[in-house]
Amino acid sequence: MSRPDGHIRQRSAGSWELRYSGGINPATGKRKVYTATFRGESVADAKKELRRLLRTQDIGEHVDPTRLTVGDYLTSWLAAVRQEISLKTHERYAELVRHFLIPVLGKVPLGKLAVAHVQNLYSALADGGRRDGKPGGLAPRTRRQIHAILRSALGRAVEDGVLARNPCEVFKKKRLPKIEKKELTTLTAEQSAQLLKSLAHTRVYWPTLLALATGMRRGEILALRWRNVGAGTVRVMESLEQTKAGLRFKTTKTEKARAITLPAYANDELNRLKREQAESLLMLGVRQDGDTLVCARADGKPLQPRSLTHEFTVLLAGIKDVPRVRFHDLRHTHATQLLLAGVHPKIAQERLGHSTIATTMDIYSHVSDTMQEEAAAKLDEVFRMATASSRVR
């Protein structure tokens, strides 16, 4: 099936070979011919891809498919996904690509990348490669992240028609490193009360109160504005992210807003904070309004998330009778206390902002075990009462 400057041949169902002219090689005087593999449903899709490749030559953006390396493609992929993910996530992707993927796979021609290359990479990361120089391989979670990044990038390469198949697809769950599920560390109601009492005269008190009362994430708490607090509820609209470039406000993790009903005590405390903050800001010549952050520095500017975590950890170390927990564990504490109190998991999911109820139940499976025991005890009580009643008759 010919066309000007190009030829299309179907290799198999959904796979097409594209051959096209690249002009005259000035060194040899011979015509350059490029070959690319394209995955598509129909010949019309293949024609469209061929036209795109020819157009890249006209505008000076053409890359010889036979010379495109894995490193070249990963670099271009990072640039392409920059607008599709959060800046912090992009920084993490770039870090893993540049430190682990490109050094091992970077010089391999993309079209020749095979399962064996990927397997050798994963084996090497399991045995070594730690950036701190310590013996042993990378943590299973990090290795899974690297796999997810490479799989995603190569998946786009297949879509772009520069790779025939994604070698990462053969690595199913059984072939990937197993992540041991760590038991969550949470506080009891009594420990939560002790924590709040001990932090009462510090600025960390307010983020801690919100975390325990609402289950909001750290970034969501630090992005909360007074216009989104009222009538006994808080509306989670955005999140504060700390990146190498500085602080930035972004959408929530699920990109959805949500409303959380406040416990009466927390509502009263936030009303007190609003009054006290307004007075403090006024003394600095700053007027509090709807855009003012609830948990902020003394001058009303945003708190750095990492600074909050550090300050919380330092203060917690000096509190007796309260276990050493991370700030994020306050979110887990909120969820655990809700479920143990018999609140329906769907309500917990909505308060936490999980995308599905399955996520909630998977994270807090330890609570569901306790709930199972309580349910069995209640059923046992019902059966015993029914049995005793039948015997009386």
Side-chain angles (χ1 to χ4, degrees):
M1 187 179 304
S2 299
R3 55 175 289 109
D5 298 318
H7 181 84
I8 298 173
R9 180 175 69 87
Q10 185 169 13
R11 285 178 165 174
S12 59
S15 179
W16 309 82
E17 179 186 80
L18 310 181
R19 293 176 62 83
Y20 56 100
S21 172
I24 302 299
N25 186 331
T28 64
K30 297 181 179 180
R31 180 175 293 276
K32 293 183 291 184
V33 178
Y34 299 118
T35 302
T37 299
F38 173 71
R39 305 281 292 186
E41 295 296 327
S42 67
V43 67
D45 295 330
K47 288 181 179 180
K48 183 178 180 181
E49 176 62 14
L50 180 57
R51 287 195 298 271
R52 185 190 71 80
L53 290 171
L54 292 170
R55 189 167 59 253
T56 62
Q57 294 189 86
D58 295 336
I59 61 178
E61 294 182 358
H62 181 262
V63 177
D64 184 347
T66 62
R67 296 186 179 182
L68 183 65
T69 65
V70 173
D72 294 333
Y73 190 80
L74 288 175
T75 300
S76 64
W77 175 79
L78 281 172
V81 299
R82 190 178 187 89
Q83 303 302 320
E84 301 171 10
I85 56 180
S86 74
L87 183 56
K88 190 171 183 180
T89 299
H90 188 271
E91 288 177 353
R92 178 59 173 167
Y93 282 13
E95 178 185 16
L96 295 178
V97 166
R98 288 165 186 160
H99 286 290
F100 300 109
L101 292 177
I102 289 181
V104 178
L105 301 177
K107 295 182 179 179
V108 177
L110 182 62
K112 295 183 179 181
L113 183 67
V115 174
H117 291 110
V118 179
Q119 182 62 72
N120 290 339
L121 166 69
Y122 292 172
S123 298
L125 296 179
D127 296 333
R130 292 173 57 120
R131 293 175 61 193
D132 57 10
K134 294 181 180 179
L138 299 184
R141 188 177 299 277
T142 302
R143 283 149 55 200
R144 280 228 176 193
Q145 286 180 338
I146 291 172
H147 167 75
I149 290 170
L150 183 60
R151 181 172 178 266
S152 178
L154 297 182
R156 181 169 291 202
V158 173
E159 294 173 1
D160 291 344
V162 293
L163 187 64
R165 55 188 289 270
N166 187 343
C168 288
E169 293 297 342
V170 304
F171 293 87
K172 306 300 181 184
K173 288 185 178 181
K174 290 183 179 179
R175 295 183 64 177
L176 295 174
K178 185 177 180 181
I179 300 176
E180 296 294 334
K181 194 170 184 179
K182 294 183 179 180
E183 186 174 344
L184 297 179
T185 303
T186 59
L187 304 178
T188 64
E190 293 74 18
Q191 291 167 340
S192 298
Q194 178 61 39
L195 176 62
L196 287 173
K197 181 179 179 181
S198 301
L199 297 178
H201 301 294
T202 72
R203 70 176 183 178
V204 177
Y205 171 77
W206 302 109
T208 301
L209 172 68
L210 279 168
L212 289 170
T214 68
M216 292 167 66
R217 300 176 178 89
R218 179 185 65 176
E220 294 171 344
I221 291 171
L222 297 183
L224 183 64
R225 303 178 189 275
W226 284 115
R227 67 166 179 265
N228 294 319
V229 180
T233 64
V234 295
R235 287 181 295 134
V236 184
M237 308 295 292
E238 55 186 341
S239 181
L240 181 65
E241 180 178 71
Q242 186 170 0
T243 71
K244 294 177 182 178
L247 300 178
R248 65 186 287 265
F249 291 93
K250 62 169 190 173
T251 58
T252 60
K253 190 171 183 178
T254 58
E255 298 185 349
K256 293 181 180 179
R258 68 185 189 277
I260 305 174
T261 302
L262 290 167
Y265 174 77
N267 187 58
D268 292 342
E269 283 293 88
L270 287 181
N271 287 333
R272 177 169 71 86
L273 170 61
K274 190 173 185 179
R275 293 192 300 269
E276 293 179 356
Q277 185 194 67
E279 294 173 0
S280 299
L281 289 175
L282 195 59
M283 293 178 65
L284 297 175
V286 179
R287 183 173 181 176
Q288 184 191 70
D289 58 24
D291 284 331
T292 303
L293 295 168
V294 175
C295 299
R297 290 171 21 184
D299 58 3
K301 294 182 179 179
L303 278 170
Q304 292 189 351
R306 291 174 198 156
S307 295
L308 169 61
T309 298
H310 175 73
E311 195 170 346
F312 174 81
T313 303
V314 171
L315 291 171
L316 183 63
I319 303 175
K320 295 181 179 180
D321 303 323
V322 177
R324 302 288 80 84
V325 294
R326 304 167 303 164
F327 186 83
H328 190 73
D329 291 327
L330 304 181
R331 172 176 164 85
H332 294 321
T333 295
H334 174 78
T336 299
Q337 291 178 2
L338 282 181
L339 295 172
L340 288 177
V343 173
H344 195 285
K346 181 64 178 176
I347 302 301
Q349 174 213 337
E350 292 172 351
R351 291 178 71 87
L352 295 168
H354 286 154
S355 56
T356 66
I357 194 171
T359 301
T360 307
M361 297 311 298
D362 180 56
I363 295 175
Y364 302 106
S365 56
H366 66 291
V367 184
S368 65
D369 292 341
T370 303
M371 294 168 70
Q372 287 274 16
E373 294 172 3
E374 292 178 352
K378 289 179 181 179
L379 285 172
D380 183 63
E381 183 181 350
V382 170
F383 291 147
R384 288 180 183 278
M385 289 176 61
T387 304
S389 176
S390 63
R391 287 173 179 171
V392 171
R393 294 177 184 174

